[in-house]
Amino acid sequence: DVITTIYGPPGAGKTNFCLLAMANLKDKKIIYIDTEGSFSLARFKQICPDYEEVLSRTIFLTPTTYNEQKEAFDYLKKNINENFGLIIIDSIAALYRLEMGVSNDIQNVNRELSMQMATLTEIARKRKIPVILTNQVYSDFEDRDKVKTVGGDVTKYWSRVLLEIQKLKGDLRKVTIIKHRSIKEGNSCTFRIVQTGLEEVKG
């Protein structure tokens, strides 16, 4: 009944987490809002042997502008019910970032993002439906080692779980719990992306 946000650089494996969540949800419907065109059918087939059955329960929304993303959220509010078991938005801030670059009303753009996050929180709490978001990151000019998420405090405030993915040497990745209600913050796991999904790397 909470929002989980997974953030990290491009190619870190954020979408793989979304696909694995889809593959492991039984029976109920899924809404997948794909703002970056990052859903890959070929990749989903590798991860999920029963992909046809899962896809038959999945509604895909593919907004290409911030206004279309707003319309996707209007669809969510009108159509979500107890038959749904998962909402995925990959990514929450891609179109927001584009809109910020062209809009003359930054305050309104930020307000809309806050309203979208509030909508997701309400759905998660009232309907007991898990929500998974991915988000992009960028470097802080004043502190190059510090990573910031697009949308800043708005997405972090509304998310009850934050997972940060980092690229390590070679094909290794590291996922760290930044925020969680019951698991110790700072806990981490090293993994690599393999054909069937993700594989933990010990040591």
Side-chain angles (χ1 to χ4, degrees):
D1 59 348
V2 298
I3 297 173
T4 295
T5 295
I6 304 166
Y7 62 92
K14 300 184 294 294
T15 299
N16 279 271
F17 278 81
C18 297
L19 300 183
L20 284 165
M22 282 180 68
N24 284 283
L25 182 76
K26 306 301 180 190
D27 303 325
K28 293 206 167 189
K29 290 182 178 182
I30 301 160
I31 287 188
Y32 196 118
I33 301 178
D34 184 5
T35 68
E36 295 186 314
S38 42
F39 178 85
S40 165
L41 179 57
R43 179 63 178 143
F44 192 56
K45 286 181 179 180
Q46 292 176 339
I47 287 175
C48 182
D50 201 17
Y51 69 92
E52 288 183 329
E53 192 279 327
V54 177
L55 291 177
S56 73
R57 295 185 275 113
T58 304
I59 296 170
F60 286 95
L61 302 175
T62 54
T64 57
T65 66
Y66 199 50
N67 193 54
E68 287 180 4
Q69 181 168 314
K70 181 183 176 184
E71 291 171 0
F73 273 80
D74 290 339
Y75 176 90
L76 266 184
K77 285 188 279 189
K78 291 175 185 173
N79 293 281
I80 206 78
N81 57 42
E82 65 278 355
N83 295 321
F84 287 88
L86 179 64
I87 297 169
I88 295 170
I89 302 171
D90 187 17
S91 76
I92 186 63
L95 299 176
Y96 162 86
R97 193 176 200 172
L98 289 175
E99 188 71 13
M100 287 290 276
V102 298
S103 177
N104 295 320
D105 190 351
I106 302 301
Q107 192 173 0
N108 190 51
V109 177
N110 280 319
R111 188 185 306 114
E112 178 60 38
L113 182 62
S114 293
M115 288 170 62
Q116 290 176 5
M117 295 297 293
T119 296
L120 292 173
T121 298
E122 184 179 0
I123 290 171
R125 284 179 182 167
K126 288 187 176 179
R127 302 282 186 179
K128 304 294 183 189
I129 298 173
V131 177
I132 298 175
L133 312 179
T134 68
N135 200 356
Q136 303 170 340
V137 297
Y138 63 95
S139 295
D140 188 331
F141 284 116
E142 294 176 4
D143 184 355
R144 288 288 181 179
D145 293 329
K146 191 174 182 182
V147 169
K148 290 192 170 184
T149 54
V150 177
D153 292 338
V154 174
T155 52
K156 285 189 172 183
Y157 171 78
W158 291 101
S159 302
R160 290 292 169 263
V161 179
L162 291 171
L163 302 177
E164 180 180 357
I165 303 179
Q166 296 168 292
K167 287 182 176 179
L168 305 179
K169 288 184 178 179
D171 63 349
L172 296 181
R173 308 281 192 273
K174 180 182 179 184
V175 58
T176 304
I177 296 171
I178 304 300
K179 181 180 177 182
H180 200 283
R181 293 184 300 178
S182 56
I183 301 175
K184 185 180 177 184
E185 294 169 2
N187 278 7
S188 65
C189 167
T190 302
F191 68 94
R192 62 167 57 93
I193 299 168
V194 295
Q195 184 161 341
T196 54
L198 306 175
E199 175 184 81
E200 186 176 1
V201 178
K202 300 288 189 179

